[in-house]
């Protein structure tokens, strides 16, 4: 991070902004956390947010740190064909916002750049302290012109964009930053992230490859994940006999003993979200097959020294608290895990609670 005071037009600020634009998102996340935890004056937050705009794929004009006569005082201006956003940054939502000033920025920018219509406004908030800022927007005459998103959610949004190939879906996602019928975008950002991940996870679950012949991948984690996967399956085989992979899948098995016990194996890499670090997709058509027997669901985490072996009798009641994503063959249950200082729990968003997984823990021998 810059150790020099940031000033408009200075060599230090120009170099700092270039560094931010070239940083990996994981490093930007570390800087964002440091800024919010120490109560920054907002200059660094403003530059990090604009760097995220670059990562999302916008053309970005960094704004002024301090307003001056004859210049438009926006914190950032992001644009693409048919998308124009004035970006305003706040370290906390405890501040009052001046919608008249924001309207002035939009009017002046449209006139200066010969825009066909007024740009919309994206308000990025570092910390959610009161929630009052949304009420301010809803009570103004600009509630259809302003969107609000948390800085953490904007970073998640940038990660999601990075997962896509740059086609029509990417452009549609960028447009979700434009004000819609609601002001706050965090839930929408989270939903998009989950759908992208679950789509990839479903493709992996329903892979055509045989369980003992995993498909090659360039991902640097693949070898370690496959090694752990084999450890888990070996332990299960020792308890329940030979595991026969179900046709056209890699992660669903029937045991050779105990009345053809159905076993589902799900593995997840660690993700950088604070609210849940591990995501799994549990296909509904798989669940339907084990609904009336003593099946097992195995949850494995990247770099873990063990896994969670959940009997179907314990897993089934949890389904009422999980979100069901639509899709082919009935869709899939979204299973999220949160690790809080070593306490791992499964999240039950529909019940607004969670459930401890420690009773189902098994370690590698």
């Amino acid at each position: 991070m810059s150790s020099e005071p940031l000033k408009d037009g200075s060599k230090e600020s120009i170099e700092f902004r270039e560094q931010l634009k070239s940083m990996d998102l994981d490093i930007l996340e570390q800087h964002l956390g440091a800024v919010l935890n120490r109560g920054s004056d907002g200059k660094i937050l403003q530059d990090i947010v604009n760097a995220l705009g670059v990562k999302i794929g916008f053309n970005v004009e960094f704004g002024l740190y301090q307003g001056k006569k004859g210049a438009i005082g926006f914190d950032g201006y992001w644009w693409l064909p048919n998308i124009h956003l004035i970006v305003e940054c706040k370290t906390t939502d405890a501040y009052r916002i001046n919608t008249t000033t924001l309207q002035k920025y939009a009017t002046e920018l449209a006139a200066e750049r010969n825009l066909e219509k007024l740009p919309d406004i994206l308000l990025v908030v570092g910390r959610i302290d009161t929630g009052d800022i949304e009420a301010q927007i809803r009570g103004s005459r600009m509630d259809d012109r302003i969107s609000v998103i948390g800085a953490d959610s904007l970073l998640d949004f940038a990660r999601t964009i990075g997962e896509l190939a740059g086609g029509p879906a990417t452009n549609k996602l960028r447009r979700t930053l434009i004000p819609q019928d609601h002001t706050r975008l965090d839930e929408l950002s989270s939903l998009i992230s989950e759908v992208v991940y679950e789509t990839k996870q479903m493709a992996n679950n329903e892979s055509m490859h045989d369980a003992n012949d995993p498909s090659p991948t360039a991902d640097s984690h693949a070898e370690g994940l496959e090694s752990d996967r084999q450890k888990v399956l070996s332990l299960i085989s020792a308890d329940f006999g030979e595991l026969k992979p179900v046709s056209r899948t890699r992660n669903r098995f029937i045991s050779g003993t105990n009345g053809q016990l159905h076993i589902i194996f799900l593995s997840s890499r660690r993700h950088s979200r604070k609210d849940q670090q591990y995501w799994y997709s549990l296909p509904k058509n798989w669940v339907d097959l084990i609904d009336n027997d003593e099946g097992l669901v195995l949850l494995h985490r990247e770099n873990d020294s063990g896994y969670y072996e959940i009997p179907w009798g314990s897993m089934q009641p949890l389904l009422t608290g999980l979100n069901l994503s639509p899709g082919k063959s009935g869709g899939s249950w979204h299973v999220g895990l949160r690790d809080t200082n070593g306490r791992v729990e499964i999240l039950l968003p529909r019940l607004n609670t969670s459930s401890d997984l420690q009773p189902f823990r098994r370690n590698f021998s």
Side-chain angles (χ1 to χ4, degrees):
M1 299 295 287
S2 175
S3 59
E4 297 292 328
L6 295 173
K7 298 180 180 179
D8 287 313
S10 68
K11 178 182 177 182
E12 289 78 14
S13 69
I14 294 172
E15 291 179 348
F16 178 59
R17 288 170 173 178
E18 290 302 313
Q19 290 173 5
L20 289 175
K21 288 191 289 185
S22 65
M23 283 179 183
D24 183 82
L25 284 173
D26 288 339
I27 304 300
L28 279 176
E29 181 180 31
Q30 294 175 22
H31 292 326
L32 177 62
V35 166
L36 297 179
N37 289 334
R38 70 168 180 246
S40 165
D41 62 2
K43 293 179 180 178
I44 296 177
L45 174 64
Q46 177 178 321
D47 282 347
I48 290 175
V49 166
N50 281 316
L52 290 176
V54 174
K55 301 290 187 184
I56 292 169
F58 284 99
N59 301 297
V60 173
E61 180 178 330
F62 285 69
L64 298 172
Y65 296 127
Q66 187 171 359
K68 63 180 181 181
K69 188 175 180 180
I72 305 173
F74 55 72
D75 290 342
Y77 168 43
W78 301 0
W79 78 95
L80 284 170
N82 301 317
I83 303 178
H84 297 271
L85 288 172
I86 286 177
V87 177
E88 183 78 2
C89 304
K90 299 293 183 184
T91 56
T92 170
D93 72 345
Y95 292 122
R96 298 293 298 177
I97 61 169
N98 190 327
T99 56
T100 301
T101 299
L102 296 177
Q103 174 72 18
K104 179 173 176 287
Y105 292 163
T107 302
E108 291 176 347
L109 186 64
E112 182 181 281
R113 309 298 170 91
N114 294 317
L115 304 181
E116 293 183 359
K117 65 175 185 177
L118 295 180
D120 293 301
I121 296 162
L122 178 65
L123 189 58
V124 182
V125 180
R127 296 191 309 273
I128 309 303
D129 294 325
T130 68
D132 182 55
I133 209 163
E134 294 172 72
Q136 294 178 52
I137 294 170
R138 285 192 292 268
S140 75
R141 288 181 292 178
M142 290 186 63
D143 58 322
D144 61 341
R145 300 277 319 286
I146 303 176
S147 294
V148 185
I149 191 168
D152 284 341
S153 291
L154 187 67
L155 190 139
D156 283 339
F157 192 92
R159 281 199 175 94
T160 301
I161 290 289
E163 293 283 347
L164 301 178
T170 307
N171 294 328
K172 288 179 181 178
L173 288 181
R174 293 192 187 105
R175 292 191 66 83
T176 62
L177 295 175
I178 297 173
Q180 309 291 325
D181 293 334
H182 48 275
T183 54
R184 188 156 194 93
L185 301 177
D186 294 74
E187 289 186 6
L188 178 59
S189 173
S190 176
L191 174 62
I192 293 168
S193 299
E194 291 171 3
V195 168
V196 169
Y197 176 79
E198 290 179 4
T199 300
K200 293 170 67 178
Q201 186 70 20
M202 278 293 291
N204 178 61
N205 286 349
E206 299 188 0
S207 169
M208 292 284 290
H209 292 273
D210 183 83
N212 295 315
D213 183 23
S215 58
T217 174
D219 193 293
S220 60
H221 298 281
E223 185 175 346
L225 284 173
E226 182 60 25
S227 175
D228 284 349
R229 180 177 186 274
Q230 293 303 324
K231 290 179 183 178
V232 173
L233 296 179
S234 294
L235 287 173
I236 293 298
S237 295
D239 287 342
F240 299 105
E242 179 187 3
L243 300 183
K244 301 176 182 178
V246 175
S247 175
R248 301 174 64 87
T249 75
R250 292 187 65 230
N251 298 307
R252 182 157 58 98
F253 306 89
I254 297 177
S255 71
T257 59
N258 292 327
Q260 303 297 299
L261 181 77
H262 284 270
I263 297 173
I264 295 175
F265 176 88
L266 301 174
S267 187
S268 172
R269 298 186 179 98
R270 181 179 177 90
H271 297 270
S272 299
R273 285 179 54 174
K274 296 178 180 178
D275 57 339
Q276 55 180 326
Q277 294 81 39
Y278 302 93
W279 300 346
Y280 309 86
S281 181
L282 181 58
K284 188 176 184 300
N285 61 328
W286 294 10
V287 166
D288 293 341
L289 287 175
I290 64 174
D291 206 358
N292 296 313
D293 79 3
E294 298 296 321
L296 292 175
V297 176
L298 312 178
L299 300 181
H300 169 257
R301 304 181 302 157
E302 178 184 30
N303 296 327
D304 196 350
S305 60
Y307 63 99
Y308 298 91
E309 180 182 314
I310 309 175
W312 186 243
S314 297
M315 185 69 195
Q316 188 177 30
L318 300 179
L319 297 182
T320 59
L322 302 179
N323 289 322
L324 179 64
S325 300
K328 63 180 182 179
S329 302
S332 59
W333 300 103
H334 172 79
V335 181
L337 301 190
R338 179 172 57 209
D339 187 338
T340 307
N341 299 322
R343 182 180 183 271
V344 179
E345 53 193 353
I346 185 170
L347 302 175
L348 305 173
R350 293 172 65 185
L351 301 177
N352 195 30
T353 187
S354 60
S355 181
D356 187 9
L357 285 183
Q358 189 58 36
F360 309 112
R361 174 77 181 179
R362 286 193 63 180
N363 294 318
F364 297 144
S365 56

